[in-house]
């Protein structure tokens, strides 16, 4: 089953002085449960592709289809609801809210989706326990390690049971050992829940974790 598909995807950034062709006709299909890497040099278009797949930005030309549906037809409110429920994001920097506890941070997407507070608390606690952060529920982000923060960010990305998780250099800020543990965790969650993962990275150490590796060069997806 194909979860998301891009059809002849182009992205051209226009600046005052210049036009940058960041994606040049990318065709990509991601299947349910697939755990893949997107590799390429800095500036090759990885972040741009993840942004378009994540419906955070619009293509210049071409389409992004979720289970065959063109989401560009949705209005911005419906699109935001879709994104919150169906797509999880993990970034190089965790973007946890420092004023909230780890538990509260992970509850946020559930509350945004209209879940009752008591139910959100129960679900977030359960997932944090699965992820091995059960002992950090009432800590705040600045009180825990970099690896733990990234695990919390992964819990937040997964809490609404998304179809797909898009991760942009999720280990870019971590040492080798922590990188391996964060990747193992993502792989474990992929197996447990059948969630599709696409991880943009230029770290070759991650290759051994992946089912598929997509290479991108100057905006062109190589096969
Ligand atoms: P990567 O994630 O592989 O480093 P990006 O998708 O960030 O690559 O960038 C692809 C190309 O698009 C680069 O040449 C980059 O400078 C350019 N680019 C990215 N975002 C913008 C933007 N908002 N405005 C103009 N150019 C951009
Ligand atoms: P069990 O461990 O009893 O088999 P599950 O693995 O189905 O139960 O769910 C355990 C926890 O993981 C629950 O809090 C549930 O909300 C959460 N969960 C279930 N499916 C997903 C999913 N696809 N992505 C993220 N979290 C999930």
């Amino acid at each position: 089953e194909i979860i998301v598909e891009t059809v002849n995807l182009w992205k051209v950034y226009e600046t005052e002085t210049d036009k940058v062709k960041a994606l040049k006709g990318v065709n990509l299909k991601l299947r349910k449960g697939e755990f893949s890497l997107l590799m390429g040099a800095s500036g090759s278009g990885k972040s741009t592709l993840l942004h378009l797949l994540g419906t955070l930005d619009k293509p210049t030309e071409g389409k992004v289809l979720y289970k065959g549906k063109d989401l560009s037809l949705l209005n911005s409110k419906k699109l935001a609801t879709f994104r919150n429920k169906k797509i999880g994001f993990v970034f190089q920097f965790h973007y946890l809210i420092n004023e909230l506890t780890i538990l509260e941070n992970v509850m946020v997407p559930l509350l945004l989706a209209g879940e009752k507070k008591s139910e959100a608390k129960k679900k977030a606690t359960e997932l944090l326990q699965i992820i091995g952060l059960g002992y950090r529920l009432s800590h705040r982000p600045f009180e825990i390690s970099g690896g733990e923060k990234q695990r919390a960010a992964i819990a937040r990305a997964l809490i609404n049971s998304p179809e797909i998780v898009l991760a942009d250099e999720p280990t870019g800020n971590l040492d080798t050992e922590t990188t391996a543990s964060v990747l193992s965790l993502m792989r474990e969650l992929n197996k447990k829940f059948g969630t599709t993962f696409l991880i943009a990275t230029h770290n070759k150490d991650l290759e051994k974790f992946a089912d598929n590796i997509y290479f991108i060069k100057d905006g062109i997806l190589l096969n």
Side-chain angles (χ1 to χ4, degrees), residues 122-124 126-127 130 158-162 192-195:
K122 187 167 156 256
K123 282 192 182 166
E126 246 180 85
L127 185 59
I130 290 174
L158 278 157
I159 192 66
N160 272 330
S161 307
K192 184 172 172 66
F193 299 128
T195 316

Side-chain angles (χ1 to χ4, degrees), residues 6-11 26 58-64 70 72:
T6 71
V7 184
N8 187 33
L9 206 60
W10 282 77
K11 182 69 183 180
V26 169
K58 289 189 160 55
T60 308
E61 208 183 300
K63 284 177 184 170
V64 177
D70 183 355
S72 69

